[in-house]
Coordinates of all heavy atoms in Angstrom, one line a residue:
P50 N -10.3 12.2 -13.5 CA -9.9 11.0 -12.9 C -9.7 9.9 -13.9 O -10.1 10.0 -15.1 CB -11.1 10.6 -12.0 CG -12.3 11.3 -12.7 CD -11.8 12.5 -13.3
P51 N -9.0 8.8 -13.5 CA -8.9 7.6 -14.4 C -10.2 7.0 -14.8 O -11.2 7.3 -14.1 CB -8.0 6.7 -13.6 CG -7.4 7.5 -12.5 CD -8.4 8.6 -12.2
P52 N -10.3 6.3 -15.8 CA -11.6 5.6 -16.2 C -12.1 4.7 -15.2 O -11.4 4.1 -14.4 CB -11.2 4.9 -17.5 CG -10.0 5.6 -18.0 CD -9.3 6.0 -16.8
F53 N -13.5 4.5 -15.2 CA -14.2 3.6 -14.3 C -14.7 2.4 -15.0 O -14.7 2.4 -16.3 CB -15.4 4.3 -13.6 CG -15.1 5.7 -13.1 CD1 -15.9 6.7 -13.5 CD2 -14.1 5.9 -12.1 CE1 -15.7 8.0 -13.0 CE2 -13.9 7.2 -11.6 CZ -14.7 8.2 -12.0
G54 N -15.1 1.4 -14.3 CA -15.8 0.3 -14.9 C -15.1 -0.4 -16.1 O -15.7 -0.6 -17.2
L55 N -13.9 -0.8 -15.8 CA -13.0 -1.3 -16.9 C -13.4 -2.6 -17.4 O -13.8 -3.5 -16.7 CB -11.6 -1.3 -16.4 CG -11.0 -0.1 -15.7 CD1 -9.6 -0.3 -15.2 CD2 -11.2 1.2 -16.5
M56 N -13.2 -2.8 -18.7 CA -13.4 -4.1 -19.4 C -12.3 -4.3 -20.4 O -12.1 -3.4 -21.3 CB -14.8 -4.2 -20.1 CG -16.0 -4.0 -19.2 SD -16.2 -5.5 -18.1 CE -16.7 -6.7 -19.2
G57 N -11.6 -5.4 -20.3 CA -10.4 -5.6 -21.2 C -10.9 -6.2 -22.6 O -11.8 -7.0 -22.7
L58 N -10.1 -5.8 -23.6 CA -10.3 -6.4 -25.0 C -9.3 -7.4 -25.2 O -8.5 -7.7 -24.4 CB -10.3 -5.2 -26.0 CG -11.4 -4.2 -25.9 CD1 -11.2 -3.1 -26.9 CD2 -12.8 -4.9 -26.2
Q59 N -9.3 -8.0 -26.4 CA -8.4 -9.1 -26.7 C -6.9 -8.7 -26.9 O -6.1 -9.6 -26.8 CB -9.0 -9.9 -27.9 CG -10.3 -10.6 -27.6 CD -10.9 -11.3 -28.8 OE1 -10.2 -11.6 -29.8 NE2 -12.2 -11.6 -28.8
D60 N -6.7 -7.5 -27.2 CA -5.3 -7.0 -27.3 C -5.0 -6.3 -26.0 O -5.4 -6.7 -24.9 CB -5.1 -6.2 -28.5 CG -6.1 -5.0 -28.7 OD1 -6.8 -4.8 -27.7 OD2 -6.1 -4.4 -29.7
S61 N -4.3 -5.2 -26.0 CA -4.0 -4.4 -24.8 C -4.9 -3.3 -24.6 O -4.7 -2.5 -23.6 CB -2.5 -3.9 -24.9 OG -2.3 -3.1 -26.0
A62 N -5.9 -3.1 -25.4 CA -6.9 -2.0 -25.2 C -7.9 -2.4 -24.2 O -8.1 -3.6 -23.8 CB -7.5 -1.7 -26.5
Y63 N -8.6 -1.4 -23.7 CA -9.7 -1.6 -22.7 C -10.8 -0.6 -22.9 O -10.6 0.4 -23.6 CB -9.2 -1.6 -21.3 CG -8.6 -0.2 -20.9 CD1 -9.4 0.7 -20.2 CD2 -7.3 0.1 -21.1 CE1 -8.8 1.9 -19.8 CE2 -6.7 1.3 -20.8 CZ -7.5 2.2 -20.1 OH -7.0 3.4 -19.7
V64 N -12.0 -0.9 -22.4 CA -13.1 0.0 -22.5 C -13.5 0.5 -21.0 O -13.3 -0.3 -20.1 CB -14.4 -0.7 -23.1 CG1 -15.6 0.2 -23.0 CG2 -14.0 -1.1 -24.5
G65 N -13.8 1.7 -20.9 CA -14.2 2.2 -19.6 C -15.0 3.5 -19.6 O -15.2 4.1 -20.7
V66 N -15.5 3.9 -18.5 CA -16.3 5.1 -18.4 C -15.3 6.3 -18.1 O -14.5 6.2 -17.2 CB -17.3 5.0 -17.2 CG1 -18.1 6.3 -17.1 CG2 -18.2 3.8 -17.5
Y67 N -15.5 7.3 -18.9 CA -14.6 8.5 -18.7 C -15.4 9.7 -18.1 O -16.7 9.7 -18.2 CB -14.0 9.0 -20.0 CG -15.0 9.5 -21.0 CD1 -15.4 10.8 -21.0 CD2 -15.5 8.7 -22.0 CE1 -16.3 11.3 -21.9 CE2 -16.4 9.1 -22.9 CZ -16.8 10.5 -22.9 OH -17.7 10.9 -23.8
L68 N -14.8 10.6 -17.4 CA -15.4 11.8 -16.9 C -14.5 13.0 -17.2 O -13.3 12.9 -16.9 CB -15.6 11.6 -15.4 CG -16.3 12.8 -14.6 CD1 -17.1 12.3 -13.4 CD2 -15.3 13.9 -14.2
E69 N -15.0 14.0 -17.8 CA -14.3 15.2 -18.0 C -15.1 16.4 -17.6 O -16.3 16.4 -17.7 CB -14.0 15.4 -19.5 CG -13.2 14.2 -20.1 CD -13.1 14.2 -21.6 OE1 -14.0 14.9 -22.2 OE2 -12.3 13.5 -22.2
F70 N -14.5 17.4 -16.9 CA -15.2 18.5 -16.4 C -15.4 19.5 -17.6 O -14.5 19.7 -18.4 CB -14.4 19.2 -15.3 CG -14.3 18.3 -14.1 CD1 -13.2 17.5 -13.8 CD2 -15.4 18.2 -13.2 CE1 -13.1 16.7 -12.7 CE2 -15.3 17.3 -12.1 CZ -14.2 16.6 -11.9
A71 N -16.6 20.2 -17.6 CA -16.9 21.1 -18.6 C -17.5 22.4 -18.0 O -18.1 22.3 -16.9 CB -17.9 20.4 -19.6
D72 N -17.4 23.5 -18.7 CA -18.0 24.7 -18.3 C -19.5 24.7 -18.4 O -20.0 24.2 -19.4 CB -17.4 25.9 -19.1 CG -15.9 26.1 -18.8 OD1 -15.5 25.9 -17.7 OD2 -15.3 26.6 -19.8
D73 N -20.2 25.1 -17.3 CA -21.6 25.1 -17.4 C -22.1 26.2 -16.3 O -21.7 26.1 -15.2 CB -22.2 23.8 -17.0 CG -23.7 23.7 -17.4 OD1 -24.5 24.4 -16.8 OD2 -24.0 22.9 -18.3
P74 N -22.8 27.2 -16.8 CA -23.2 28.3 -15.9 C -24.1 27.8 -14.7 O -24.2 28.6 -13.7 CB -23.9 29.2 -16.8 CG -24.4 28.4 -18.0 CD -23.4 27.3 -18.1
S75 N -24.8 26.7 -14.8 CA -25.8 26.3 -13.8 C -25.2 25.3 -12.8 O -25.9 24.9 -11.9 CB -27.0 25.6 -14.5 OG -26.6 24.5 -15.3
G76 N -23.9 25.0 -12.9 CA -23.3 24.1 -11.9 C -22.0 23.5 -12.4 O -21.4 24.0 -13.3
V77 N -21.6 22.4 -11.8 CA -20.5 21.6 -12.2 C -20.8 20.8 -13.5 O -21.6 19.8 -13.3 CB -19.9 20.8 -11.1 CG1 -18.6 20.0 -11.6 CG2 -19.6 21.6 -9.9
G78 N -20.3 21.1 -14.6 CA -20.6 20.4 -15.8 C -19.7 19.2 -16.0 O -18.5 19.2 -15.8
L79 N -20.3 18.0 -16.3 CA -19.6 16.8 -16.4 C -19.9 16.2 -17.8 O -21.1 16.0 -18.1 CB -20.0 15.8 -15.3 CG -19.9 16.2 -13.9 CD1 -20.4 15.1 -13.0 CD2 -18.4 16.5 -13.5
D80 N -18.9 16.0 -18.6 CA -19.0 15.2 -19.8 C -18.6 13.8 -19.5 O -17.5 13.5 -19.1 CB -18.1 15.7 -20.9 CG -18.6 17.1 -21.5 OD1 -19.8 17.3 -21.4 OD2 -17.8 17.9 -21.9
I81 N -19.6 12.8 -19.6 CA -19.3 11.5 -19.2 C -19.8 10.5 -20.3 O -20.6 10.9 -21.2 CB -20.0 11.1 -17.9 CG1 -21.6 11.3 -18.0 CG2 -19.5 11.8 -16.7 CD1 -22.4 11.0 -16.8
G82 N -19.2 9.4 -20.4 CA -19.6 8.4 -21.4 C -18.7 7.2 -21.3 O -17.9 7.0 -20.4
V83 N -18.8 6.4 -22.4 CA -18.0 5.1 -22.5 C -17.1 5.2 -23.7 O -17.5 5.6 -24.8 CB -18.9 3.9 -22.6 CG1 -18.1 2.6 -22.6 CG2 -19.9 3.9 -21.4
A84 N -15.8 4.8 -23.5 CA -14.9 5.0 -24.6 C -13.9 3.8 -24.6 O -13.7 3.1 -23.6 CB -14.1 6.3 -24.5
L85 N -13.1 3.7 -25.7 CA -12.0 2.7 -25.8 C -10.7 3.4 -25.5 O -10.5 4.6 -26.0 CB -12.0 2.1 -27.2 CG -11.0 1.1 -27.5 CD1 -11.5 0.0 -28.5 CD2 -9.7 1.7 -28.2
F86 N -9.8 2.8 -24.8 CA -8.6 3.3 -24.4 C -7.4 2.3 -24.8 O -7.7 1.1 -24.9 CB -8.5 3.6 -22.9 CG -9.5 4.6 -22.4 CD1 -10.8 4.2 -22.1 CD2 -9.2 5.9 -22.2 CE1 -11.7 5.1 -21.6 CE2 -10.1 6.8 -21.7 CZ -11.4 6.4 -21.4
V87 N -6.2 2.9 -24.9 CA -5.0 2.0 -25.1 C -4.0 2.4 -24.1 O -4.2 3.4 -23.4 CB -4.5 2.3 -26.6 CG1 -5.5 1.8 -27.6 CG2 -4.1 3.7 -26.8
P88 N -3.0 1.6 -23.9 CA -2.0 1.9 -22.9 C -1.4 3.3 -23.0 O -1.2 3.8 -24.1 CB -0.9 0.8 -23.1 CG -1.6 -0.3 -23.8 CD -2.7 0.3 -24.6
G89 N -1.1 3.9 -21.9 CA -0.6 5.3 -21.9 C -1.6 6.2 -21.3 O -2.5 5.8 -20.5
P90 N -1.4 7.5 -21.5 CA -2.3 8.5 -20.9 C -3.8 8.2 -21.3 O -4.1 7.8 -22.4 CB -1.9 9.8 -21.6 CG -0.5 9.6 -22.0 CD -0.3 8.1 -22.3
F91 N -4.7 8.2 -20.3 CA -6.0 7.8 -20.6 C -6.8 8.9 -21.3 O -7.6 9.6 -20.7 CB -6.8 7.4 -19.3 CG -6.3 8.0 -18.0 CD1 -6.8 9.2 -17.6 CD2 -5.4 7.4 -17.2 CE1 -6.4 9.8 -16.4 CE2 -5.0 8.0 -16.0 CZ -5.5 9.2 -15.6
S92 N -6.6 8.9 -22.6 CA -7.3 9.8 -23.5 C -8.1 8.9 -24.4 O -7.6 8.0 -25.1 CB -6.3 10.6 -24.4 OG -7.0 11.4 -25.3
P93 N -9.4 9.1 -24.5 CA -10.3 8.2 -25.3 C -9.9 8.1 -26.8 O -9.6 9.2 -27.4 CB -11.7 8.9 -25.2 CG -11.6 9.6 -23.9 CD -10.2 10.1 -23.8
V94 N -9.8 6.9 -27.3 CA -9.5 6.7 -28.7 C -10.8 6.7 -29.5 O -10.9 7.3 -30.6 CB -8.8 5.4 -28.9 CG1 -8.6 5.0 -30.3 CG2 -7.4 5.4 -28.1
T95 N -11.8 5.9 -29.0 CA -13.1 5.9 -29.7 C -14.2 6.1 -28.6 O -14.2 5.4 -27.6 CB -13.4 4.6 -30.3 OG1 -12.4 4.3 -31.3 CG2 -14.7 4.6 -31.1
R96 N -15.0 7.1 -28.8 CA -16.1 7.4 -27.8 C -17.4 6.7 -28.4 O -17.8 7.0 -29.5 CB -16.3 8.9 -27.7 CG -15.1 9.6 -27.1 CD -15.3 11.1 -27.0 NE -14.1 11.8 -26.7 CZ -13.8 12.4 -25.5 NH1 -14.7 12.3 -24.5 NH2 -12.7 13.0 -25.3
F97 N -18.0 5.9 -27.5 CA -19.2 5.1 -27.9 C -20.4 5.9 -27.5 O -21.4 6.0 -28.3 CB -19.2 3.7 -27.4 CG -17.9 2.9 -27.7 CD1 -17.0 2.6 -26.7 CD2 -17.7 2.5 -29.0 CE1 -15.9 1.9 -27.0 CE2 -16.6 1.8 -29.3 CZ -15.7 1.5 -28.3
I98 N -20.4 6.3 -26.3 CA -21.6 7.1 -25.7 C -21.1 8.3 -25.1 O -20.1 8.3 -24.3 CB -22.4 6.2 -24.7 CG1 -23.2 5.1 -25.4 CG2 -23.3 7.1 -23.8 CD1 -24.0 4.3 -24.5
E99 N -21.7 9.5 -25.3 CA -21.3 10.7 -24.7 C -22.6 11.4 -24.1 O -23.6 11.6 -24.8 CB -20.7 11.6 -25.8 CG -19.5 11.1 -26.5 CD -18.9 12.0 -27.5 OE1 -18.2 13.0 -27.2 OE2 -19.2 11.8 -28.7
D100 N -22.5 11.7 -22.9 CA -23.6 12.4 -22.2 C -23.0 13.6 -21.4 O -21.8 13.7 -21.1 CB -24.2 11.4 -21.1 CG -24.9 10.3 -21.8 OD1 -25.6 10.5 -22.8 OD2 -24.8 9.1 -21.3
H101 N -23.9 14.6 -21.2 CA -23.6 15.8 -20.4 C -24.5 15.8 -19.2 O -25.7 15.6 -19.3 CB -23.7 17.0 -21.2 CG -23.3 18.3 -20.5 ND1 -22.0 18.6 -20.2 CD2 -24.1 19.2 -19.9 CE1 -21.9 19.7 -19.6 NE2 -23.2 20.1 -19.4

Side-chain angles (χ1 to χ4, degrees):
F53 315 122
L55 312 180
M56 298 291 291
L58 294 173
Q59 293 177 17
D60 52 10
S61 60
Y63 62 96
V64 174
V66 178
Y67 66 86
L68 182 151
E69 298 169 345
F70 295 99
D72 293 330
D73 196 296
S75 56
V77 180
L79 304 176
D80 288 332
I81 56 179
V83 182
L85 182 145
F86 299 84
V87 295
F91 28 84
S92 177
V94 174
T95 304
R96 297 176 190 253
F97 305 110
I98 286 182
E99 299 179 79
D100 293 316
H101 181 75

